[in-house]
Amino acid sequence: MDDLFASGPPDVVFPALERFFSEIEQTCLLHIERSKTEVFTWSGELPAGTPEGFPRAGTVIDQEFCPGFLCYGIPVGTPAYVRHQLSIKVQEVAREVEQIVKVLDQEGQSIWTIARSSTAMKLDYHLSLCYPTDMEVAAKEMDNLLWLKLEKSAGFSIPRVDEGRGLECCPNPPVGRWQGRSYQELMVRTPVRLGGMGLRSSVETSLAAFIGGVEQALPHFTGEGGVCQQLRQVLGNMQNSASRWRDMLASG
């Protein structure tokens, strides 16, 4: 492991880190790169007693320092920091898409195969671990990228709403989130086994994916054998399936 996270009061964490650094140097001949040992605080200010050479965790956005850090690829910090990092992730995917389309050009089937089997999953990890409110813009951008690949593979523009071209079909069913959307988009989002194209929308998946991520993680926190009993006041007993979410939702 080369990514370690220590959390707690500064007067406890910093001495513990110094002992750890000293011991691994003696035992393993490893030297700490202090400039990579970032210190995260919600205020963005280094606490008193911070060892020399430790930088603040975060980044400058529009000339303002926003605290945050990446925890195994997932941005944690202020909403501005998280959304900035998610935007960078989508930009990486955009460059990939541009390269794929450029290399394959007229190979529509190949473009579509990569879209379905690879590109469409690039944001799945983040969808389950980032708040849907933070994911909103990035998810929309991802949906637009996937639609671009779909159109490139088809070889023509596919309407998502009524564009006045005479080829759209907007059935406007009595379901709020489907209002104004074309029949073509609804069919693209429908599973293949039901006659659709099986291309999921990141925007539509975000909320369910996040709830699924919470459901997988929190039962391990409290209850018998839980790894973080300190959260019991907030979470209650997450292993009690009958009232698993009740205490957490009531806690605010």
Side-chain angles (χ1 to χ4, degrees), residues 59-61 78-89 91:
T59 190
V60 176
I61 304 170
T78 61
Y81 174 85
V82 172
R83 291 166 190 173
H84 175 73
Q85 293 297 334
L86 289 172
S87 175
I88 290 175
K89 176 65 179 177
Q91 289 169 23

Side-chain angles (χ1 to χ4, degrees), residues 11 20 24 26 36 48 71 77 79 97 104 128 152 156 166 181 189 206 230 236:
D11 59 340
F20 174 68
I24 64 168
Q26 294 172 23
K36 293 183 178 179
C71 181
V97 168
L104 297 177
S128 65
K152 287 292 184 181
F156 54 84
R181 294 167 64 179
R189 304 302 184 200
S206 178
Q230 299 96 318

